[in-house]
Amino acid sequence: MLTAADVAALRAHSARLATQPLTAVIANDPARAQAFALRVGPLYASFARQRYDRIAVDALFALAERADLPAAIRALFDGTPVNITEGRAALHTALRSNLSTTPPARDAHTAARTTRIRMAQVVATLHASRVTDIVSVGIGGSDLGPRLVVDALRAPDHGRMRVHFLSNVDGAAAQRVLAGLDPARTAAVLISKSFGTQETLLNGAIVRDWLDDNDRLYAVSANVERAEAFGIDPERILPMWDWVGGRYSLWSAVGLPVALALGMDRFEALLAGAAEMDAHVVATLPRRNLAVWHALTAVWNRNALEASTQAVLAYDERLKLLPAYLQQLVMESLGKSVRDDGTPVVVQTVPVWWGGAGTDAQHSYFQALHQGTQIVPADFIGVVHGDDPYRDNHHALLAHLLAQTEALANGKGSDDPHRAYPGNRPSTLLLLDALTPQALGTLIAFYEHSVYLQSVLWGINAFDQFGVELGKQVADRLLPAVRGEAVDIDDPVTSALLDEIHSRLL
Ligand code: F6P
């Protein structure tokens, strides 16, 4: 776990490099472009434009060695209760890989395979039926992963099934999703590990009543009893387990909307891509390990360069939901200020992750990335082979991707300070050969592993999320007051706000 002294040592390296811009560091190390790049299956990553040199990288790998990252990776795969605050394993790897012989990992892998057989039956049944539309009801980890993958990989005309995602408790979301759908040709899947999430229960009830036929109502949950009580036939409930965190659950039956939209074969291919990354991460020494490089780079940017935000910029329209997905994965996992043993952290943990899709983002906030006062490290993601028929557009897209990373790093001088580009702005470039299910699985699993390794380096638990509970409890307490019931409100500001709302209600 990183200590204050470790951070001071990393800062000494960044101070040493302060007078050497990236252009100089790169020019002084002719083999850097190759030495700072790695490939795993369809994913190529270049760290050559990060603001460290080989000496600083050696210091980072020394930290990795002290943290014994290989042992931490083994513990994850073996089903050790790495989620120590809740006493649970985090066996998402067992959903797609069979890389551990421990009983918990083997049992998890068997349960996952058995569940996929049931998923395949559901897909076959619905594909053979009159159903043309699926409404997927869930939120957070029960929504963002399937939503990303369906949006990224669906056919331009949607193919056999259109999948619609309903997450927000705002009734306008339900109204918009259901408008234009025919209940007789629609099935719904309620996805909730707990089956106790307010948003999903409220939206689920709207959809259940609108459907008016529970034969087309499915659920994915670790709480079968609650799903049954909601009116879902146990035959149509697929399991989830305590040993999978919501934001790591795409690979389980939570991926049912993916399988319905793309077919079971492509869902299996997504898992195979993730398994390829698992095999790499578990078997590769830190120096050649892609997830370790990414995690150490995150630590460098946060703790040595003190960057408070991190951008993720997808140069592929189909990956435009990736930033939203990663926000939950990274910030719900690493947004912690207490270490595993309950003591406060002494170093900064997760920065704010944000981003969007290129080239749209270039015409929005890139001004600040190039000339703003804050340094924003960025992950740029590109896809080499485009699948659309518009080659000129694809070439332009790739040119912009390369241009932005080069311009941010190299900058450009000018006598006019308004027209000068300081450069020295760090980025990682991730290139997928093509946007196949395998490649997307590899990319997502890569981020999962990097997040876990960052948590190990910072000494925090990546698998709990107590921070989201308080707001839910307060909302439950305030709900009767919003409805207009007589309730004592202690907080004077909330009380005044409630008065304002009630005075305006028509
Ligand atoms: O509020 C956060 C959270 O607990 C996430 O971690 C989770 O993915 C989401 O809510 C949905 O939870 P559930 O699947 O139990 O409905």
Side-chain angles (χ1 to χ4, degrees), residues 120-134 160-161 186-189 215-216 218 256 260:
Q121 287 161 354
V122 172
V123 173
T125 302
L126 285 170
H127 279 201
S129 74
R130 305 173 56 221
V131 168
T132 54
D133 292 86
I134 304 291
R160 169 69 188 84
M161 289 273 182
T186 301
V189 188
D215 283 356
R216 274 175 281 111
Y218 293 79
L256 182 60
L260 287 165

Side-chain angles (χ1 to χ4, degrees), residues 178-476:
L178 298 181
L181 295 184
D182 174 1
R185 297 176 76 90
T186 301
V189 188
L190 273 59
I191 305 176
S192 176
K193 181 176 167 184
S194 60
F195 226 84
T197 302
Q198 184 203 46
E199 291 94 327
T200 302
L201 295 181
L202 283 170
N203 282 330
I206 292 171
V207 173
R208 177 193 59 198
D209 297 347
W210 172 86
L211 215 48
D212 199 24
D213 183 350
N214 287 9
D215 283 356
R216 274 175 281 111
L217 198 56
Y218 293 79
V220 178
S221 185
N223 197 330
V224 176
E225 260 176 36
R226 278 199 198 157
E228 267 190 79
F230 191 84
I232 303 175
D233 189 317
E235 292 276 295
R236 284 189 285 279
I237 302 172
L238 297 175
M240 268 277 280
W241 309 274
D242 265 1
W243 43 262
V244 189
R247 54 192 173 274
Y248 298 86
S249 65
L250 164 67
W251 327 98
S252 70
V254 168
L256 182 60
V258 175
L260 287 165
L262 311 176
M264 202 61 199
D265 288 358
R266 300 185 85 205
F267 180 67
E268 295 276 3
L270 180 85
L271 270 51
E276 184 165 14
M277 182 55 68
D278 290 341
H280 164 79
V281 167
V282 82
T284 310
L285 290 173
R287 280 279 180 169
R288 299 303 300 161
N289 193 311
L290 187 50
V292 174
W293 267 88
H294 192 264
L296 290 174
T297 302
V299 163
W300 171 261
N301 284 328
R302 184 69 182 117
N303 299 122
L305 300 189
E306 300 180 81
S308 57
T309 87
Q310 160 76 38
V312 52
L313 301 157
Y315 272 65
D316 193 301
E317 179 71 9
R318 298 166 297 175
L319 291 175
K320 68 175 184 300
L321 299 183
L322 185 66
Y325 171 83
L326 289 180
Q327 280 182 319
Q328 188 204 16
L329 178 67
V330 182
M331 292 167 74
E332 197 165 83
S333 297
L334 301 175
K336 315 284 163 65
S337 44
V338 174
R339 295 185 286 208
D340 284 345
D341 64 3
T343 57
V345 293
V346 291
V347 304
Q348 293 290 335
T349 63
V350 76
V352 173
W353 276 60
W354 61 282
T359 58
D360 282 349
Q362 291 174 199
H363 300 269
S364 170
Y365 42 75
F366 268 47
Q367 166 64 37
L369 299 190
H370 285 283
Q371 290 187 318
T373 52
Q374 288 211 26
I375 299 296
V376 181
D379 281 1
F380 281 84
I381 299 155
V383 178
V384 177
H385 293 281
D387 291 312
D388 63 74
Y390 310 112
R391 283 176 67 81
D392 289 350
N393 289 53
H394 191 65
H395 290 155
L397 183 66
L398 287 177
H400 279 291
L401 168 66
L402 296 175
Q404 290 298 332
T405 53
E406 185 183 306
L408 284 165
N410 297 354
K412 188 170 182 248
S414 169
D415 293 342
D416 176 355
H418 299 287
R419 290 175 170 77
Y421 301 85
N424 214 20
R425 299 183 179 223
S427 63
T428 292
L429 183 54
L430 301 167
L431 275 179
L432 296 175
D433 292 343
L435 194 56
T436 60
Q438 287 96 325
L440 186 54
T442 303
L443 179 72
I444 296 172
F446 153 71
Y447 272 110
E448 285 182 347
H449 286 301
S450 172
V451 165
Y452 172 60
L453 294 173
Q454 289 172 59
S455 80
V456 174
L457 290 162
W458 281 324
I460 56 179
N461 180 3
F463 301 110
D464 63 14
Q465 61 282 319
F466 296 114
V468 302
E469 293 307 323
L470 178 60
K472 293 182 195 176
Q473 289 160 15
V474 177
D476 283 346

